[in-house]
Amino acid sequence: AIETGLVPGTPIAGGGGDQAAQALGVGVVEEGIISTTIGTSGVVFAASRSYRIETKGLLHSFCHVIPDMWHLMGVMLSAGGSLRWFRDVFGKEEIASAEQSSLDPYHFLISQTDAVSAGSEGLIFLPYLSGERTPHNDPLARGVFFGISPRHQKAHFIRAVLEGVAFGLFDSLELIKQLGINSKEIILSGGGARSEEWQRIITDVFDMPTVTTNSREGAAFGAALLAGLGTELYLTPQDAVSKTIERERRM
Protein backbone atom coordinates (compact mmCIF):
# COMPACT_ATOMS: atom_id res chain seq x y z
CA ALA A 1 0.00 0.00 0.00
CA ILE A 2 2.88 2.37 0.82
CA GLU A 3 4.60 1.71 -2.51
CA THR A 4 1.49 1.98 -4.70
CA GLY A 5 -0.91 4.26 -2.87
CA LEU A 6 -3.56 1.54 -2.78
CA VAL A 7 -5.85 1.47 0.22
CA PRO A 8 -4.57 -1.17 2.69
CA GLY A 9 -6.50 -4.41 2.25
CA THR A 10 -7.27 -3.86 -1.45
CA PRO A 11 -7.40 -7.30 -3.09
CA ILE A 12 -4.68 -7.87 -5.69
CA ALA A 13 -5.03 -10.70 -8.18
CA GLY A 14 -2.40 -12.00 -10.60
CA GLY A 15 -3.15 -11.22 -14.24
CA GLY A 16 -1.79 -12.62 -17.47
CA GLY A 17 -0.93 -11.95 -21.08
CA ASP A 18 -3.74 -10.97 -23.40
CA GLN A 19 -4.09 -14.36 -25.10
CA ALA A 20 -3.87 -16.37 -21.89
CA ALA A 21 -6.56 -14.17 -20.35
CA GLN A 22 -8.56 -14.47 -23.59
CA ALA A 23 -8.36 -18.25 -23.34
CA LEU A 24 -9.71 -18.24 -19.80
CA GLY A 25 -12.41 -15.82 -20.94
CA VAL A 26 -13.73 -18.34 -23.48
CA GLY A 27 -13.23 -21.48 -21.37
CA VAL A 28 -9.83 -22.94 -22.32
CA VAL A 29 -9.05 -24.27 -18.85
CA GLU A 30 -8.08 -27.91 -19.46
CA GLU A 31 -5.81 -29.82 -21.80
CA GLY A 32 -7.79 -30.95 -24.80
CA ILE A 33 -9.56 -27.61 -25.22
CA ILE A 34 -8.30 -25.50 -28.14
CA SER A 35 -9.46 -22.06 -29.16
CA THR A 36 -9.07 -19.97 -32.29
CA THR A 37 -9.34 -16.21 -32.12
CA ILE A 38 -9.81 -14.03 -35.19
CA GLY A 39 -9.03 -10.44 -34.32
CA THR A 40 -6.65 -8.21 -36.24
CA SER A 41 -4.21 -11.06 -35.74
CA GLY A 42 -5.19 -14.73 -35.45
CA VAL A 43 -4.36 -17.12 -32.63
CA VAL A 44 -4.68 -20.86 -32.12
CA PHE A 45 -4.32 -21.57 -28.39
CA ALA A 46 -4.15 -24.88 -26.49
CA ALA A 47 -3.90 -25.51 -22.75
CA SER A 48 -1.31 -28.07 -21.66
CA ARG A 49 -0.77 -29.93 -18.40
CA SER A 50 2.99 -30.00 -19.03
CA TYR A 51 5.64 -27.82 -20.63
CA ARG A 52 5.90 -28.75 -24.30
CA ILE A 53 8.12 -27.12 -26.88
CA GLU A 54 8.15 -27.19 -30.64
CA THR A 55 11.84 -27.86 -31.29
CA LYS A 56 12.09 -25.46 -34.25
CA GLY A 57 10.57 -22.62 -32.25
CA LEU A 58 7.51 -22.38 -34.47
CA LEU A 59 5.05 -22.26 -31.54
CA HIS A 60 5.03 -20.11 -28.43
CA SER A 61 5.21 -22.01 -25.10
CA PHE A 62 4.25 -19.99 -22.03
CA CYS A 63 2.75 -20.25 -18.56
CA HIS A 64 -1.05 -20.23 -18.63
CA VAL A 65 -2.95 -17.96 -16.23
CA ILE A 66 -4.18 -21.18 -14.61
CA PRO A 67 -1.86 -22.45 -11.86
CA ASP A 68 0.39 -25.38 -12.84
CA MET A 69 -0.64 -25.22 -16.49
CA TRP A 70 1.07 -24.12 -19.69
CA HIS A 71 -0.12 -23.20 -23.11
CA LEU A 72 0.94 -23.55 -26.72
CA MET A 73 0.10 -20.77 -29.11
CA GLY A 74 0.44 -20.15 -32.83
CA VAL A 75 -0.02 -16.61 -34.12
CA MET A 76 -0.65 -15.20 -37.59
CA LEU A 77 -0.26 -11.45 -37.99
CA SER A 78 -3.02 -10.60 -40.49
CA ALA A 79 -6.18 -12.59 -39.84
CA GLY A 80 -9.08 -10.18 -39.46
CA GLY A 81 -6.54 -7.58 -40.51
CA SER A 82 -6.55 -9.08 -44.01
CA LEU A 83 -10.30 -8.62 -44.34
CA ARG A 84 -10.07 -5.11 -42.89
CA TRP A 85 -7.41 -4.24 -45.49
CA PHE A 86 -9.69 -5.55 -48.25
CA ARG A 87 -12.62 -3.56 -46.85
CA ASP A 88 -10.63 -0.33 -46.66
CA VAL A 89 -9.16 -0.63 -50.16
CA PHE A 90 -11.91 -2.36 -52.15
CA GLY A 91 -15.02 -2.00 -50.01
CA LYS A 92 -16.10 1.59 -50.61
CA GLU A 93 -19.54 0.46 -51.82
CA GLU A 94 -20.02 -1.75 -48.78
CA ILE A 95 -18.93 1.03 -46.45
CA ALA A 96 -21.46 3.35 -48.08
CA SER A 97 -24.20 0.73 -47.73
CA ALA A 98 -23.34 0.27 -44.06
CA GLU A 99 -23.64 4.01 -43.42
CA GLN A 100 -27.24 3.83 -44.65
CA SER A 101 -28.18 0.82 -42.52
CA SER A 102 -27.72 -0.71 -39.09
CA LEU A 103 -25.31 -3.34 -40.49
CA ASP A 104 -21.54 -3.13 -40.75
CA PRO A 105 -19.49 -3.25 -43.98
CA TYR A 106 -18.31 -6.80 -43.24
CA HIS A 107 -21.88 -8.04 -43.53
CA PHE A 108 -22.17 -6.64 -47.04
CA LEU A 109 -18.75 -8.00 -48.00
CA ILE A 110 -19.16 -11.53 -46.69
CA SER A 111 -22.75 -11.94 -47.87
CA GLN A 112 -21.45 -11.73 -51.45
CA THR A 113 -19.60 -15.02 -50.99
CA ASP A 114 -22.81 -17.06 -50.72
CA ALA A 115 -22.72 -17.81 -54.43
CA VAL A 116 -19.01 -18.71 -54.50
CA SER A 117 -18.09 -22.36 -54.11
CA ALA A 118 -15.38 -23.63 -51.76
CA GLY A 119 -11.95 -23.02 -53.22
CA SER A 120 -12.98 -19.71 -54.83
CA GLU A 121 -12.65 -21.33 -58.27
CA GLY A 122 -8.91 -21.69 -57.89
CA LEU A 123 -8.20 -18.23 -56.46
CA ILE A 124 -5.74 -18.45 -53.55
CA PHE A 125 -4.87 -15.75 -51.01
CA LEU A 126 -1.73 -15.85 -48.85
CA PRO A 127 -2.51 -13.63 -45.82
CA TYR A 128 1.02 -12.40 -45.10
CA LEU A 129 0.39 -8.67 -45.42
CA SER A 130 2.67 -7.80 -42.49
CA GLY A 131 5.05 -10.75 -42.55
CA GLU A 132 4.22 -13.85 -40.53
CA ARG A 133 4.96 -15.50 -37.19
CA THR A 134 3.59 -19.06 -37.14
CA PRO A 135 4.85 -21.16 -38.78
CA HIS A 136 7.05 -19.14 -41.13
CA ASN A 137 8.58 -16.58 -38.73
CA ASP A 138 9.44 -14.24 -41.58
CA PRO A 139 8.97 -10.46 -41.31
CA LEU A 140 9.51 -10.12 -45.06
CA ALA A 141 6.69 -12.47 -46.12
CA ARG A 142 4.01 -10.66 -48.10
CA GLY A 143 0.45 -11.28 -49.20
CA VAL A 144 -0.42 -12.78 -52.58
CA PHE A 145 -3.52 -13.37 -54.69
CA PHE A 146 -2.65 -16.32 -56.93
CA GLY A 147 -4.55 -17.95 -59.76
CA ILE A 148 -6.53 -14.93 -60.95
CA SER A 149 -8.58 -15.49 -64.09
CA PRO A 150 -11.23 -13.49 -66.00
CA ARG A 151 -14.05 -15.39 -64.29
CA HIS A 152 -13.05 -14.15 -60.85
CA GLN A 153 -15.27 -11.41 -59.47
CA LYS A 154 -15.10 -9.40 -56.27
CA ALA A 155 -16.92 -12.11 -54.33
CA HIS A 156 -14.21 -14.63 -55.22
CA PHE A 157 -11.53 -12.35 -53.77
CA ILE A 158 -13.52 -11.91 -50.55
CA ARG A 159 -13.97 -15.65 -50.11
CA ALA A 160 -10.30 -16.24 -50.96
CA VAL A 161 -9.37 -13.94 -48.07
CA LEU A 162 -11.59 -15.89 -45.66
CA GLU A 163 -10.17 -19.20 -46.88
CA GLY A 164 -6.57 -18.00 -46.85
CA VAL A 165 -6.84 -16.93 -43.22
CA ALA A 166 -8.47 -20.25 -42.29
CA PHE A 167 -5.65 -22.25 -43.87
CA GLY A 168 -3.08 -20.00 -42.21
CA LEU A 169 -4.63 -20.77 -38.82
CA PHE A 170 -4.74 -24.45 -39.69
CA ASP A 171 -0.92 -24.42 -39.88
CA SER A 172 -0.84 -23.65 -36.15
CA LEU A 173 -3.42 -26.30 -35.31
CA GLU A 174 -1.33 -28.94 -37.10
CA LEU A 175 1.77 -28.01 -35.08
CA ILE A 176 -0.19 -28.24 -31.82
CA LYS A 177 -1.57 -31.65 -32.78
CA GLN A 178 1.94 -32.88 -33.57
CA LEU A 179 2.86 -32.20 -29.93
CA GLY A 180 0.14 -34.54 -28.73
CA ILE A 181 -2.69 -32.15 -27.93
CA ASN A 182 -5.96 -32.96 -29.66
CA SER A 183 -9.46 -31.60 -29.32
CA LYS A 184 -12.91 -32.72 -30.39
CA GLU A 185 -13.93 -29.15 -31.18
CA ILE A 186 -12.57 -25.62 -31.52
CA ILE A 187 -13.85 -22.67 -29.50
CA LEU A 188 -14.05 -19.72 -31.89
CA SER A 189 -13.87 -16.11 -30.69
CA GLY A 190 -12.99 -12.60 -31.79
CA GLY A 191 -14.63 -10.36 -34.34
CA GLY A 192 -14.32 -12.97 -37.08
CA ALA A 193 -16.43 -15.38 -35.02
CA ARG A 194 -19.47 -13.17 -35.64
CA SER A 195 -19.55 -14.37 -39.25
CA GLU A 196 -21.38 -17.66 -39.78
CA GLU A 197 -19.76 -18.03 -43.20
CA TRP A 198 -16.25 -17.59 -41.81
CA GLN A 199 -17.04 -20.06 -39.03
CA ARG A 200 -18.29 -22.55 -41.62
CA ILE A 201 -15.07 -22.19 -43.64
CA ILE A 202 -12.91 -22.73 -40.55
CA THR A 203 -14.98 -25.76 -39.59
CA ASP A 204 -14.40 -27.25 -43.05
CA VAL A 205 -10.68 -26.42 -43.21
CA PHE A 206 -10.02 -27.69 -39.67
CA ASP A 207 -12.25 -30.74 -40.32
CA MET A 208 -13.51 -30.32 -36.78
CA PRO A 209 -16.64 -28.88 -35.13
CA THR A 210 -16.42 -25.25 -34.01
CA VAL A 211 -18.45 -23.44 -31.37
CA THR A 212 -18.85 -19.82 -30.32
CA THR A 213 -19.56 -18.64 -26.78
CA ASN A 214 -21.41 -15.84 -25.04
CA SER A 215 -18.09 -14.21 -24.14
CA ARG A 216 -17.74 -11.17 -26.44
CA GLU A 217 -14.76 -9.54 -24.70
CA GLY A 218 -12.55 -12.57 -24.16
CA ALA A 219 -9.35 -11.03 -22.76
CA ALA A 220 -11.11 -8.42 -20.64
CA PHE A 221 -13.60 -11.01 -19.44
CA GLY A 222 -10.75 -13.39 -18.61
CA ALA A 223 -9.11 -10.66 -16.55
CA ALA A 224 -12.40 -10.16 -14.72
CA LEU A 225 -12.55 -13.90 -13.97
CA LEU A 226 -8.99 -13.72 -12.62
CA ALA A 227 -10.15 -10.94 -10.29
CA GLY A 228 -13.03 -13.17 -9.24
CA LEU A 229 -10.61 -16.00 -8.51
CA GLY A 230 -8.31 -13.68 -6.58
CA THR A 231 -11.18 -12.54 -4.35
CA GLU A 232 -12.52 -16.11 -4.02
CA LEU A 233 -15.74 -15.30 -5.82
CA TYR A 234 -14.92 -18.48 -7.76
CA LEU A 235 -13.15 -21.48 -6.28
CA THR A 236 -11.30 -22.66 -9.39
CA PRO A 237 -10.91 -21.57 -13.03
CA GLN A 238 -13.23 -24.43 -14.00
CA ASP A 239 -15.79 -23.14 -11.50
CA ALA A 240 -15.54 -19.63 -12.97
CA VAL A 241 -16.04 -20.91 -16.51
CA SER A 242 -18.95 -23.21 -15.63
CA LYS A 243 -20.80 -20.32 -14.00
CA THR A 244 -20.24 -17.71 -16.71
CA ILE A 245 -19.46 -19.23 -20.13
CA GLU A 246 -22.19 -20.65 -22.34
CA ARG A 247 -21.71 -22.23 -25.75
CA GLU A 248 -23.83 -20.85 -28.56
CA ARG A 249 -23.52 -21.46 -32.32
CA ARG A 250 -22.07 -24.87 -33.17
CA MET A 251 -21.08 -26.06 -36.63
Side-chain angles (χ1 to χ4, degrees):
I2 292 173
E3 292 293 329
T4 64
L6 291 171
V7 174
T10 300
I12 299 175
D18 57 348
Q19 292 304 322
Q22 161 85 16
L24 174 61
V26 298
V28 185
V29 293
E30 297 176 358
E31 184 171 317
I33 302 177
I34 298 177
S35 69
T36 293
T37 302
I38 304 178
T40 300
S41 60
V43 176
V44 180
F45 185 107
S48 175
R49 287 188 294 268
S50 61
Y51 180 58
R52 292 171 161 97
I53 59 170
E54 202 286 323
T55 56
K56 295 180 181 179
L58 302 179
L59 287 173
H60 303 274
S61 298
F62 292 131
C63 293
H64 203 335
V65 294
I66 299 170
D68 302 318
M69 290 201 73
W70 301 81
H71 71 74
L72 295 166
M73 182 173 71
V75 181
M76 63 182 302
L77 295 178
S78 297
S82 291
L83 188 59
R84 181 178 63 190
W85 162 79
F86 191 95
R87 177 202 67 184
D88 292 345
V89 177
F90 303 107
K92 304 304 181 184
E93 294 178 4
E94 290 78 10
I95 292 172
S97 296
E99 290 174 350
Q100 301 174 13
S101 72
S102 59
L103 302 173
D104 65 33
Y106 296 114
H107 167 79
F108 293 101
L109 281 168
I110 295 176
S111 63
Q112 297 175 50
T113 68
D114 291 344
V116 179
S117 59
S120 302
E121 294 194 59
L123 182 61
I124 296 171
F125 175 67
L126 304 184
Y128 309 134
L129 303 183
S130 305
E132 189 56 302
R133 283 167 69 175
T134 307
H136 305 296
N137 196 25
D138 183 358
L140 302 180
R142 287 296 178 263
V144 173
F145 278 110
F146 179 81
I148 303 171
S149 75
R151 69 175 176 269
H152 289 126
Q153 304 298 314
K154 186 174 183 177
H156 292 88
F157 285 86
I158 299 168
R159 184 176 176 96
V161 170
L162 304 182
E163 292 177 338
V165 170
F167 277 104
L169 292 166
F170 182 69
D171 286 340
S172 293
L173 178 65
E174 285 291 276
L175 289 170
I176 289 171
K177 289 166 64 176
Q178 288 170 16
L179 292 182
I181 297 180
N182 292 288
S183 178
K184 294 182 179 179
E185 67 180 7
I186 300 292
I187 298 175
L188 194 62
S189 64
R194 299 172 189 165
S195 166
E196 290 189 29
E197 182 59 32
W198 212 345
Q199 182 180 357
R200 189 173 295 108
I201 289 171
I202 290 173
T203 301
D204 290 342
V205 170
F206 284 21
D207 193 23
M208 188 181 304
T210 62
V211 62
T212 62
T213 73
N214 62 333
S215 178
R216 300 291 183 262
E217 302 293 340
F221 190 68
L225 293 184
L226 289 172
L229 288 163
T231 55
E232 298 183 347
L233 178 64
Y234 306 112
L235 300 179
T236 65
Q238 291 78 5
D239 177 49
V241 166
S242 68
K243 291 179 177 177
T244 59
I245 305 297
E246 296 178 2
R247 299 188 174 194
E248 295 185 335
R249 190 176 64 234
R250 192 173 193 275
M251 292 186 181

